[in-house]
Amino acid sequence: MSERRIYIAGHTGMVGSSILKKFQENGYNNIIKESSDALDLRNQADVEHFISAKQPDAIILAAARVGGILANDRYPYQFLYDNLAIESNVINAAHKNNVEQLVFLGSSCIYPKQAPQPIREEYLLSGPLEPTNQWYAIAKIAGLKLCQSLHKQYGRNYVSLMPTNLYGPRDNFDLETSHVVPAMIRKFHEAMKNGDSPVTLWGSGSPKREFLHVNDLAEAVFFAFNHQLDGELYNIGTGSDISIKELALLIQDVVGHDGDIIWDKGKPDGTPRKLLDVSKIHSAGWHHRIQLKEGLTKTYEWFLQNIDGLKMRSLQAN
Ligand SMILES: NC(=O)c1ccc[n+]([C@@H]2O[C@H](COP(=O)([O-])OP(=O)(O)OC[C@H]3O[C@@H](n4cnc5c(N)ncnc54)[C@H](OP(=O)(O)O)[C@@H]3O)[C@@H](O)[C@H]2O)c1
């Protein structure tokens, strides 16, 4: 049991809900949470009032405007502004109210498009970003710099974690806006139900990517929180990657689809490889635990149990 008051911003999201569960399972009963309807984190005055009234001991910042390539490309202003506003409001209010600890969540897209592989933390700002998600990436870089500057200038214990691609329960299964794992789960499931009809997937299948189960990320957040990691930046991933083709075969097997896979080579492949170097967080003592096949199996089970209430994030600006 811990009496510490932890504010989890974004507790309804895929990441925030897993972090909430992790803290609750570990005896944290003083969790502060507020819906985005009641508190829009883009509103500075409301955020300041909320943090000052609640006086949390620590904040986990898992609220953000998140989306795939299409959403980023169509709404660059919202991806830049909303994320800048959320981060600066929450981090500044935390500092002004002497909140002892803050864990900020960014994303591996902060690194340059052509970064050497595997990507080490020091490659930050060493080259141009991927143009489609530069808006989101710049906001996330600003967020981690806010944390670093507060650490440097005031000794604040505000740490930034940069997770690789995540998957798991409560993911977004809207085919227009989703990431690769939920999109494949849904496509294979629907094709299986449709008499094992063929599944068409984007690109050649050759790019390699890294995937981390969201519950492993929640463990990493809990670890960072308990080990008082300093104001640095830490990559969070598995340290290994697989090709999109291998991923498709794994998901096809988990779902039980027995039809053809067609690779639409007219669609872009994106960066050939994106793998994080996780030696820094490994040296600190954290390792992931959930293997990909096991994580995909659990995610598919969750999908089946929640098929009538899946999150479908539509393409929209607000
Ligand atoms: N998903 C991934 O693959 C991935 C990978 C790396 C890093 N991350 C990071 O993990 C964090 C969370 O991502 P996620 O996948 O959990 O996203 P998500 O499922 O879309 O959840 C986002 C959360 O932020 C809240 N939120 C958004 N705008 C808000 C606002 N203006 N005011 C208050 N709350 C707001 C949402 O509330 P509502 O539900 O009420 O809208 C929701 O709780 C992000 O920082 C992201 O960069 C995610």
Side-chain angles (χ1 to χ4, degrees):
M1 285 277 278
S2 171
E3 292 308 311
R4 290 189 76 198
R5 296 162 57 76
I6 320 291
Y7 168 39
I8 300 178
H11 73 285
T12 56
M14 172 167 83
V15 169
S17 56
S18 180
I19 295 171
L20 172 65
K21 192 161 161 270
K22 179 77 196 163
F23 275 85
Q24 285 173 333
E25 283 168 359
N26 282 275
Y28 285 80
N29 295 322
N30 269 330
I31 304 281
I32 302 163
K33 47 193 179 356
E34 193 66 276
S35 74
S36 61
D37 287 341
L39 176 66
D40 185 339
L41 294 170
R42 293 171 296 186
N43 186 314
Q44 184 180 14
D46 289 353
V47 173
E48 288 193 354
H49 180 260
F50 179 81
I51 305 276
S52 147
K54 300 287 182 186
Q55 290 293 318
D57 299 307
I59 297 179
I60 312 295
L61 183 40
R65 176 180 279 268
V66 180
I69 297 175
L70 207 58
N72 268 269
D73 207 38
R74 196 169 297 178
Y75 299 112
Y77 179 72
Q78 277 75 21
F79 276 86
L80 180 57
Y81 174 75
D82 287 5
N83 287 309
L84 281 174
I86 291 170
E87 294 154 15
S88 49
N89 291 342
V90 174
I91 295 169
N92 189 53
H95 170 57
K96 277 170 71 175
N97 286 281
N98 280 318
V99 175
E100 296 155 19
Q101 237 185 319
L102 185 143
V103 180
F104 171 65
L105 287 166
S107 151
S108 57
C109 70
I110 59 163
Y111 292 113
K113 184 181 165 120
Q114 306 290 357
Q117 305 290 320
I119 307 171
R120 298 177 63 82
E121 286 84 350
E122 58 262 34
Y123 300 160
L124 183 70
L125 295 173
S126 63
L129 297 164
E130 158 66 41
T132 45
N133 61 19
Q134 59 177 309
W135 325 96
Y136 179 75
I138 283 176
K140 289 294 184 184
I141 293 170
L144 79 89
K145 289 291 172 192
L146 284 172
C147 293
Q148 282 182 337
S149 62
L150 286 170
H151 179 70
K152 179 175 155 70
Q153 195 176 335
Y154 298 96
R156 290 274 180 228
N157 185 6
Y158 294 1
V159 67
S160 301
L161 304 184
M162 297 300 133
T164 187
N165 303 300
L166 302 172
Y167 68 96
R170 282 171 289 276
D171 210 338
N172 167 32
F173 285 87
D174 184 315
L175 290 180
E176 204 179 25
T177 56
S178 59
H179 293 129
V180 59
V181 170
M184 281 191 188
I185 289 180
R186 195 170 148 200
K187 282 186 176 185
F188 280 115
H189 174 80
E190 286 174 2
M192 188 257 295
K193 289 277 166 206
N194 205 13
D196 286 325
S197 59
V199 166
T200 302
L201 300 173
W202 276 33
S204 67
S206 61
K208 297 186 84 180
R209 294 288 183 273
E210 179 184 13
F211 298 96
L212 181 76
H213 192 280
V214 69
N215 291 355
D216 269 333
L217 172 63
E219 297 257 353
V221 169
F222 195 67
F223 176 90
F225 174 83
N226 280 313
H227 289 77
Q228 308 256 330
L229 296 185
D230 57 19
E232 293 278 321
L233 162 65
Y234 290 84
N235 288 340
I236 307 294
T238 63
S240 58
D241 54 0
I242 65 163
S243 73
I244 295 298
K245 198 169 267 175
E246 289 170 294
L247 176 73
L249 293 174
L250 263 181
I251 296 181
Q252 185 182 37
D253 183 42
V254 164
V255 171
H257 171 263
D258 198 19
D260 291 335
I261 301 177
I262 298 162
W263 293 96
D264 180 358
K265 295 189 179 144
K267 294 286 194 308
D269 261 348
T271 315
R273 193 170 186 213
K274 218 175 136 196
L275 176 65
L276 291 179
D277 183 314
V278 285
S279 46
K280 189 169 166 185
I281 191 75
H282 280 178
S283 305
W286 178 85
H287 287 76
H288 80 287
R289 285 202 267 205
I290 304 172
Q291 298 310 312
L292 188 55
K293 178 85 185 269
E294 176 197 352
L296 292 172
T297 305
K298 282 186 182 161
T299 306
Y300 184 54
E301 282 166 11
W302 183 90
F303 171 90
L304 292 175
Q305 282 158 12
N306 294 275
I307 200 149
D308 295 328
L310 293 174
K311 180 160 70 183
M312 300 283 174
R313 195 188 297 111
S314 59
L315 262 185
Q316 55 184 21
N318 282 310

